[in-house]
Amino acid sequence: MTSGIARRALAEFLGTGLLVTVVVGSGIAAQRLSADTGLRLLENSIATAFGLGVLILLLGPVSGAHFNPVVSAMNAILGRRDRTGLAGLDLLVFIVAQILGAICGAVLANAMFQLPTAISTTNRATPGTLLGEVVATAGLVLLIAGLSRARATLPQIAAAVGAYIGSAYWFTSSTSFANPAVTIGRIFTDTFAGIAPASMLPYLAAQLVGAAVGIGLILLLFPPPPTVADAQATVVPSDLEEAS
């Protein structure tokens, strides 16, 4: 592994880990401070929205601040045509770093609140919540890729993604996990933000479907600009026609 990919993988490990620490830690604090479930969700969503925005601003210049396997996969797929996306091995390294970071983030949050690291017993998978995950993930992929193709600045992307996740806590039935690594990490806390292992695979499947929908929408709404090769392929026949 080169120093460049190692540095970027470390940023993805830290970013995903701290994101899960924010999600789980604010969930534990909300559970302790508030008796009302709606108020707990409000506290959890506000902390997550702000925390995610900060992490994107901090680590975006290092790794692109994916913190999410579906975002990394989207980057690899959409960037394949002009070779700007992650290569196969780099994509694998990113995903492993994100998953390990998410697990460590949950363990850290538990430790800060003096709770044991325990497997969650919160079952979340229902037809409605799985549809919510499809919607949440498709929207996230569409937002990130759309802003990137529109050449939005890093602060604009950080604000928009944080705002989207904060609002998706409320408008989706699943409270918008929208992230396979975060979903896996949240198995390791039996608290407000946890998810039982039995719900993990259905959630991951719904997130993959949502990612595919989001990528499809990007291709329809934001077609990539022509490459140099495409431009040459268009110009050369025209010149030949004129010469003849």
Side-chain angles (χ1 to χ4, degrees):
M1 185 185 299
T2 65
S3 60
I5 186 60
R7 181 171 56 87
R8 295 164 66 198
L10 176 59
E12 288 297 303
F13 174 85
L14 287 174
T16 313
L18 290 172
L19 173 59
V20 173
T21 300
V22 170
V23 173
V24 174
S26 63
I28 295 171
Q31 193 171 15
R32 291 184 175 182
L33 295 172
S34 307
D36 181 76
T37 302
L39 184 56
R40 290 175 179 175
L41 187 63
L42 178 63
E43 294 160 348
N44 191 204
S45 63
I46 290 174
T48 301
F50 283 125
L52 178 56
V54 168
L55 290 171
I56 292 172
L57 282 174
L58 174 65
L59 297 173
V62 182
S63 68
H66 298 180
F67 311 151
N68 187 334
V70 298
V71 174
S72 296
M74 174 268 291
N75 175 273
I77 293 169
L78 295 180
R80 179 176 300 174
R81 183 169 179 266
D82 55 5
R83 297 183 180 179
T84 59
L86 290 170
L89 181 57
D90 291 354
L91 174 61
L92 178 61
V93 170
F94 264 45
I95 292 175
V96 171
Q98 290 158 358
I99 292 173
L100 291 177
I103 294 171
C104 291
V107 172
L108 175 60
N110 291 330
M112 287 195 298
F113 288 90
Q114 300 182 38
L115 293 173
T117 295
I119 301 300
S120 176
T121 57
T122 304
N123 290 302
R124 296 178 180 268
T126 67
T129 57
L130 296 181
L131 177 59
E133 277 302 284
V134 172
V135 171
T137 310
L140 180 63
V141 167
L142 177 61
L143 174 66
I144 293 173
L147 290 176
S148 296
R149 290 200 168 183
R151 301 188 181 279
T153 64
L154 181 62
Q156 289 172 332
I157 293 173
V161 172
Y164 174 80
I165 291 298
S167 63
Y169 257 81
W170 291 91
F171 75 75
T172 64
S173 55
S174 64
T175 67
S176 184
F177 284 48
N179 186 327
V182 169
T183 303
I184 294 171
R186 288 169 67 168
I187 291 174
F188 295 89
T189 180
D190 194 17
T191 61
F192 182 75
I195 180 172
S199 296
M200 178 192 69
L201 288 179
Y203 262 54
L204 296 184
Q207 290 158 2
L208 292 177
V209 172
V213 172
I215 291 172
L217 290 172
I218 282 294
L219 294 175
L220 291 172
L221 296 171
F222 298 90
T227 64
V228 173
D230 292 336
Q232 290 175 344
T234 302
V235 170
V236 171
S238 175
D239 291 344
L240 289 175
E241 289 172 3
E242 290 178 3
S244 63

